[in-house]
DNA sequence: TATGAATGAGTATTCATTCAT
DNA sequence: CATGAATGAATACTCATTCAT
């Protein structure tokens, strides 16, 4: 799936990047506060530091802003995640690290994650498909760590189980944000991480290993 | 938290109930198709089978419709869930049944669940709080089943772990709907249910019990 | 060609007729002053005596107003023309009467005729086709009078010549309006009518008749 | 009436001429396609082969472009007409030639003639007056031919009739363009020219000449 | 109680024009 | 001289809400 092409009247590619970055920054702030539909294009322009006319020099429609925002959030999540994963661990150690890192990123970007969950549906079909692909790509990072843990012989999972587990981890990350009204009242991030990690790993640990340990 | 009072010009309480039921039915259909913001009050009135004037005899604002819709979805989820749980099981058996029932209800009401996840944020603060309470009450049903499983001595969990597990179960139900673009391509509902149930229970099963079984 | 259907949100057909009449009246005034493109929908609403919202209860787009205006102008031209032609004359007498009547109607409706000439091109294709048909129907009235004059044996014309003559008469009527900056400085309507009538008839009069008269 | 002064930031008169020629060429193409109001200045600049900034180095406003276009169309009509009239005929022969030439020019420049008829009204007052003078000057060419025919003694016309006839000829030329939706379906240019010429001349031919011929 | 016509604030988008580079 | 990014007033159209019947 190709990156959706957002039309611009401006030729200087560098300038486009800069302006769109401003735009996304302003828009995210507003979308977090009032959501996509309740935010006007004028507000986006103003918050971004330029006029409404200029805004439309860099996009074709309001929906393009949403697309740029979603795209950018995914890129940032991925970037932060990869940054936290730079060390070269493997096996279950790796998996623990992925979980902790994911949760930490979600914690840092709670509002952005919420925007994604709630506004994504307003994207035009094509853009939506593209964004969902990014989500799957992200899930794949987790899947690789799970697989690595399998290969290390520490856990045994079918391919199906691997996939499902990855989804579970991803969603447990997200729910730290979208159920924060309940979860964050009861847990700190580190308790949450610890409890979830233990549960996730206990469930998959090889039986004989466990018993051996015992 | 009190049920939010939705104003009506009409006295006959029965009529109010009937009209609002029509209204919610029409609105849900539309919200599923186009979302709350893209649906007009005129459309809601038409889909409900009465005029725009009449619509406003039974609500005070468009947001009231959203509130009624969310409220009604929760009531239906709860009703269906309780229906499926009428038999008097206990212990781990009970827990399995709760999980399976929840997943089945979510499967039946996927679109409604999605509407909730995506439009809830558009509710006015007070209404939002009320609806979130309903969500917590729902989670409590699960929590009770988990606790019942503990009491049966089949699993051992701290109170914290109990709460978290309940959230996890709830969210794993919901994700069947909101990640369907990926999950429902890979799993049938019964596979999904089976895999998730196994994982959830394996993780919590008492060690000695497991070994004993061994 | 069917009359184009202009959409309306209002059900009462009578009301639609009344409101659209107001609308056309207001719009014509404005189009005469500033042309279609320089007139805003708000101005049309205001001049028509209702709000912009109400305007859009009776039309689907600004172009619909132009269509209604053109349609209405043609209807009025035709109505006035037919009124002036109610007496039952025939032959050349009839033709003279048609010419005089046409010129008189154009004189009365100069501004409207100009609007037609200048804004018709802004109509959507379908509407344009419909309006041009009305123009042809009007030309047919003239053609019938010319034919009547032929049948009376006073003039002899091929079918082609009949058609062309009718166009000429029509356009000579219109030019009284669209060349008024020059023609109306030099002629009064009655002089113009007399001169044009003489020329039109002299050119077609049967040769032997003329000579017989001589 | 002075030629309207179109302001330019550029000194080099030659360059001004060249750029404006490009501009008019581009603009005519666009005005024919979409009319003056639906054409943007950006489009004009692009079609002309330079940037929007450059466009405004050679004009003061969008209306100036329309003025230049109208001015240029008149000049070309005149030029072409004069070219076709270079041979030194006189009398009725001359008149026939003028008619045929005019019709031929209009046929060649149909779109341009239409633009004139439909957009002229958007000119600012002063520019409009200037352009109408050009139209009158053009009519004068015809008038001279008619007069020449009179002087040759072949037709007899009062001064009033001469003027009116010239207008008629002019308009019969134009109508070949602006009623083409009907006329060009029924006639070829040469039939149209022949029929109209015959009618125009028959109507004015001296009575005794005609009879003599007879 | 039911209706639907009326309202006008609000919104996305366009485009002529300017001006710093 | 040429460029094209920036501007913001202007504009068509929408839609939640009201209220007279």
């Amino acid at each position: 799936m190709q990156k959706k092409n957002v039309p611009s009247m401006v030729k200087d590619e560098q300038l486009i990047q800069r302006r769109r970055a401003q735009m996304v920054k302003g828009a995210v702030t507003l979308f977090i506060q009032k959501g996509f539909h309740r935010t006007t294009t004028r507000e986006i322009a103003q918050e971004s530091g330029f006029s409404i006319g200029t805004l439309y020099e860099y996009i074709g429609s309001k929906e393009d802003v949403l697309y740029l925002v979603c795209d950018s959030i995914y890129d940032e999540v991925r970037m932060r995640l990869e940054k936290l994963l730079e060390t070269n661990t493997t096996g279950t150690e790796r998996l623990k690290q992925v979980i902790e890192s994911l949760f930490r990123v979600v914690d840092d970007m709670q509002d952005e994650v919420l925007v994604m969950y709630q506004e994504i549906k307003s994207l035009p079909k094509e853009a939506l498909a593209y964004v969902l692909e990014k989500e799957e790509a992200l899930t794949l990072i987790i899947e690789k760590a799970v697989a690595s843990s399998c290969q290390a012989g520490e856990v045994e999972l079918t391919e199906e189980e691997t996939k499902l587990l990855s989804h579970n981890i991803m969603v447990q990350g997200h729910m730290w944000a979208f159920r924060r009204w309940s979860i964050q009242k009861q847990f700190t991030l580190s308790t949450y991480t610890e409890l979830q990690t233990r549960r996730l790993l206990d469930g998959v640990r090889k039986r004989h290993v466990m018993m051996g340990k015992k």
Side-chain angles (χ1 to χ4, degrees), chain A:
Chain A
M1 172 93 31
Q2 271 305 291
K3 194 171 202 123
K4 184 177 181 283
N5 193 40
V6 176
S8 169
M9 310 261 61
V10 173
K11 295 174 176 176
D12 181 343
E13 195 59 35
Q14 290 231 320
L15 189 53
I16 294 182
Q17 296 312 318
R18 205 164 69 241
R19 290 279 183 258
R20 287 192 180 161
Q22 291 178 262
M23 207 165 88
V24 165
K25 191 151 173 279
V28 166
T29 312
L30 292 165
F31 291 175
I32 286 170
Q33 281 168 37
K34 5 187 342 189
F36 173 68
H37 282 103
R38 287 177 144 78
T39 302
T40 69
T41 51
R42 297 190 109 86
E43 287 170 324
I44 296 171
Q46 185 164 37
E47 186 78 21
S48 309
F50 37 68
S51 70
I52 181 66
T54 301
L55 182 75
Y56 275 89
E57 291 283 301
Y58 296 92
I59 51 159
S61 73
K62 193 186 171 191
E63 279 171 349
D64 284 342
V65 180
L66 181 58
Y67 169 70
L68 290 174
V69 162
C70 291
D71 198 37
S72 141
I73 290 177
Y74 265 114
D75 286 345
E76 193 175 346
V77 168
R78 172 166 219 129
M79 211 197 55
R80 288 190 187 223
L81 194 56
E82 282 171 347
K83 179 113 188 195
L84 289 174
L85 295 176
E86 268 168 358
T87 58
N88 251 341
T89 48
T90 56
T92 303
E93 214 45 53
R94 175 64 170 185
L95 185 52
K96 279 187 186 171
Q97 192 191 18
V98 165
I99 295 171
E100 196 203 338
S101 302
L102 176 68
F103 288 13
R104 188 169 295 171
V105 170
V106 170
D107 187 55
D108 283 348
M109 298 178 67
Q110 292 181 43
D111 292 325
E112 286 83 358
V113 169
L114 276 174
V115 165
M116 295 269 345
Y117 260 80
Q118 289 164 346
E119 310 295 1
I120 230 182
K121 62 151 200 310
S122 298
L123 286 174
K125 271 206 153 44
E126 207 195 2
L128 176 61
Y130 173 73
V131 168
L132 289 184
E133 252 179 41
K134 286 206 155 180
E135 169 75 27
E136 278 204 288
L138 224 47
T139 312
L140 211 63
I141 295 184
I142 298 170
E143 206 179 314
K144 271 183 197 155
V146 177
S148 162
S149 202
C150 281
Q151 279 156 19
E154 292 152 341
V155 305
E156 64 183 355
L157 293 167
T158 65
E159 195 179 331
E160 268 193 330
E161 288 174 319
T162 304
K163 284 218 183 302
L164 189 54
L165 187 61
S166 311
H167 277 289
N168 285 346
I169 292 171
M170 191 59 128
V171 169
Q172 281 175 18
H174 291 166
M175 71 187 257
W176 176 250
F178 67 68
R179 283 179 90 83
R180 60 182 174 189
W181 45 272
S182 175
I183 296 184
Q184 296 192 20
K185 275 190 205 149
Q186 303 176 52
F187 306 101
T188 62
L189 177 62
S190 66
T191 319
Y192 180 75
T193 305
E194 196 192 319
L195 288 174
Q196 293 287 39
T197 305
R198 195 187 313 155
R199 172 137 351 283
L200 285 162
L201 294 186
D202 274 12
V204 296
R205 200 157 287 154
K206 274 195 176 178
R207 305 290 184 261
H208 68 270
V209 170
M210 278 179 63
M211 281 183 296
K213 279 193 171 175
K214 182 79 192 175

